[in-house]
Amino acid sequence: MKKADAVVIGGGVSGLFTALELAKRGAGKVVVVEEGYLGCGSTLRCATGIRASFTSVEHVELMKRSIQLWKEYSKALGFRYRQGGYLWLASEPETVELFRELSKFHNSLGVPTRIIDADEIKELVPCMSVDREVKGLFDPIAGKADPFGVVYALARECRRLGVEIHDHTKALRLAAKDSKVVGVETSKGFIEAPVAVVAAGYGTRELLKTVGVDVPLEPVPHYALITERLGRAFDPLVIDWDAPGVPYIVQTLEGNLLMGAGVTEEPSTDTSLPREFLFLALRSWSKRFPWLSCVNVLRSWPGFYVCTPDKHPIYGPVGSVEGVYVAAGYSGHGFMMGPVTGEVIASWILDGKPEPRIAERLTIDRFEKGELVREKAIVG
Amino acid sequence: MIICRCEDVTLEDVERAIEEGCRDLESLRKRLRIGMGPCQGRTCIPILIRILARKLGVKPQDLGYPAPRPPLTPTRCSVLRGEHDEEG
């Protein structure tokens, strides 16, 4: 039997940032268990985007802090991160109106988004064709990072600070006694610990059932494709709001073009790639980037938005079992929230309250109380 | 010695990543980007399997193979988006 002060279940960006924050703050012995390889759940499948331009105060405030931490961590740990912005395109007048409202909301919270015209869009993405009447909502502080670089930089720093990371080790159940967690049973033995952080994506649901907690999580499949590398073509992540499937495109920091488009909103655990995905994503972007015709697609893959009923994460203690903390249900935004997730969960464990405080609104009991948060822009 | 020509990964890189704790093909692929270039691992993954099997003292066939990702071979966007349907 192994002993620890805290066990983190999940070796993705949420679990690793949490483990790192715990270790930095002197939380004692921290052990991370990951059922596959590091980042294999959602982290390494993501679209790499990072933004604070959301439509709820909770998301905006948490992501403002996360962006600050992305800057600090990318320097301290040496992974790549760039504030190249996010650009939403609007072809319909109603969409432009919606964007104006959103921009007012963002500005009121200190996120400097603005409406731009076709000329400025051309300046930002010179290789894209847009009609005169197209407008954009531009978020200059949004950006992107390299998920592979992030995962391995985090793992290295965690190990340097004494965190034990066990990959290919599946957490099977949480063990509780007198409504307190006492440890985690894994495929490689029992780990005794008074604190367990469950940051296991959709797996969080099964794990918390073992202590009688039902977490409302549903996996919604999404797909992405990537092309061969090109020279640096454009910096912002671009989202075509009025095109079918609301497709996005981003040039990764490696130079590949990564594209996605929504095929379904139905929850499913099916990992097969629907035929229509490649058509949907490529047809939309071929209209905007005619030169794509002669670019090669290398791969496409599935991933899941692990969604909650209000599309906001579940953070913090579960309440009924002392010592169990949840960090899951980002509904498509787990990668960008990674740094703030680590701070929220570590401060909750060590100080008894989260930092930033607004995370208190995202505890699991909001679903029972009916205090859901609303979010409209769930893209990228 | 170069193992992956598309991504310029050497034998030394592979051995160092294994030492660092990447003990499966998917981790090595993501850590080094080996097999992520235009050849999609046709040349380098079989070599990588042999190196890793030897290091871990297991049979190559026990290591499995990274998940296949369509379209399997680099394919022009114009072909995949089915423009012939539209124009024909």
Side-chain angles (χ1 to χ4, degrees):
Chain A
M1 188 190 316
K2 199 186 271 290
K3 266 192 170 182
D5 293 294
V7 178
V8 177
I9 301 163
V13 76
S14 300
L16 291 171
F17 268 116
T18 302
L20 178 56
E21 284 288 330
L22 285 170
K24 268 171 61 181
R25 295 174 189 214
K29 183 82 202 160
V30 180
V31 176
V32 178
V33 292
E34 161 58 52
E35 78 171 303
Y37 55 93
L38 296 180
C40 70
S42 292
T43 302
L44 299 182
R45 298 170 189 270
C46 83
T48 81
I50 295 164
R51 65 181 163 117
S53 37
F54 277 84
T55 61
S56 75
V57 181
E58 290 81 359
H59 264 151
V60 172
E61 292 298 341
L62 289 166
M63 278 309 303
K64 272 163 60 183
R65 177 62 183 154
S66 210
I67 287 174
Q68 200 179 335
L69 292 168
W70 274 112
K71 287 186 211 168
E72 291 171 19
Y73 271 123
S74 64
K75 285 200 191 88
L77 303 186
F79 58 76
R80 280 180 299 173
Y81 163 71
R82 188 186 294 157
Q83 279 183 299
Y86 255 58
L87 172 62
W88 282 267
L89 301 175
S91 310
E92 305 294 335
E94 310 87 76
T95 312
V96 178
E97 269 319 295
L98 169 72
F99 284 2
R100 280 190 208 286
E101 289 301 310
L102 285 177
S103 182
K104 264 187 234 163
F105 174 71
H106 298 148
N107 296 168
S108 74
L109 295 171
V111 178
T113 59
R114 62 178 198 273
I115 303 293
I116 61 175
D117 61 16
D119 287 335
E120 208 175 335
I121 293 173
K122 266 281 183 209
E123 273 172 43
L124 284 167
V125 191
C127 52
M128 177 170 70
S129 61
V130 283
D131 296 334
R132 294 300 314 162
E133 64 271 23
V134 171
K135 296 262 190 288
L137 173 66
F138 182 56
D139 175 355
I141 65 165
K144 55 195 171 186
D146 161 26
F148 300 0
V150 170
V151 163
Y152 292 106
L154 282 172
R156 198 159 48 233
E157 184 66 1
C158 278
R159 288 187 174 117
R160 195 181 69 80
L161 295 174
V163 175
E164 263 184 45
I165 300 177
H166 299 280
D167 57 4
H168 302 286
T169 305
K170 186 173 167 60
L172 303 170
R173 65 176 186 92
L174 299 172
K177 204 174 169 187
D178 303 328
S179 299
K180 282 184 186 169
V181 70
V182 291
V184 180
E185 183 73 50
T186 78
S187 56
K188 296 190 180 158
F190 191 80
I191 307 170
E192 195 182 316
V195 171
V197 177
V198 189
Y202 184 55
T204 301
R205 184 162 204 175
E206 280 303 307
L207 261 173
L208 284 174
K209 272 186 195 161
T210 65
V211 284
V213 178
D214 187 31
V215 198
L217 297 175
E218 295 284 5
V220 178
H222 281 255
Y223 312 93
L225 69 88
I226 202 159
T227 70
E228 60 196 327
R229 276 189 214 175
L230 308 174
R232 190 168 167 183
F234 58 96
D235 284 337
L237 186 151
V238 187
I239 298 160
D240 204 343
W241 190 269
D242 291 321
V246 196
Y248 66 84
I249 186 168
V250 59
Q251 185 169 30
T252 67
L253 293 165
E254 293 286 333
N256 317 73
L257 296 175
L258 194 162
M259 291 170 239
V263 174
T264 174
E265 288 178 13
E266 288 301 309
S268 159
T269 52
D270 187 358
T271 56
S272 64
L273 212 77
R275 249 177 78 101
E276 64 265 34
F277 166 68
L278 291 173
F279 297 107
L280 191 65
L282 292 171
R283 281 199 182 176
S284 286
W285 289 119
S286 296
K287 284 178 196 149
R288 299 248 179 246
F289 300 95
W291 47 269
L292 265 181
S293 297
C294 50
V295 174
N296 283 313
V297 174
L298 296 184
R299 290 184 294 284
S300 55
W301 65 94
F304 295 92
Y305 285 12
V306 180
C307 293
T308 62
D310 62 9
K311 306 289 188 280
H312 280 66
I314 301 170
Y315 277 146
V318 296
S320 54
V321 187
E322 202 183 313
V324 177
Y325 295 79
V326 188
Y330 306 95
S331 312
H333 308 121
F335 179 67
M336 63 175 87
M337 298 188 86
V340 79
T341 296
E343 186 172 73
V344 162
I345 302 299
S347 56
W348 221 321
I349 292 168
L350 299 175
D351 310 330
K353 57 181 192 300
E355 198 56 52
R357 282 302 286 275
I358 200 161
E360 278 179 336
R361 296 191 199 165
L362 300 179
T363 47
I364 191 169
D365 56 2
R366 72 180 188 271
F367 302 107
E368 281 166 32
K369 293 182 188 161
E371 294 168 355
L372 302 195
V373 188
R374 293 290 166 203
E375 168 67 54
K376 286 177 204 146
I378 312 152
V379 173
Chain B
M1 190 193 291
I2 307 264
I3 304 296
C4 170
R5 279 179 290 180
C6 305
E7 300 284 337
D8 196 19
V9 181
T10 65
L11 176 62
E12 198 188 341
D13 296 329
V14 172
E15 287 177 339
R16 199 181 311 126
I18 296 172
E19 290 304 312
E20 274 176 24
C22 295
R23 303 289 167 94
D24 59 84
L25 296 173
E26 293 284 9
S27 295
L28 285 166
R29 208 169 135 251
K30 269 112 190 172
R31 173 75 181 81
L32 302 168
R33 305 194 64 84
I34 189 165
M36 304 280 249
C39 98
Q40 285 296 286
R42 274 181 176 65
T43 318
C44 51
I45 295 294
I47 303 173
L48 183 69
I49 290 173
R50 286 169 60 180
I51 298 169
L52 184 62
R54 202 170 55 221
K55 284 271 176 202
L56 300 180
V58 300
K59 289 182 191 153
Q61 57 268 39
D62 294 342
L63 291 174
Y65 202 85
R69 299 299 190 200
L72 304 181
T73 186
T75 308
R76 293 280 167 101
C77 288
S78 56
V79 173
L80 292 171
R81 74 169 185 245
E83 70 181 6
H84 303 297
D85 298 351
E86 266 183 0
E87 286 167 7

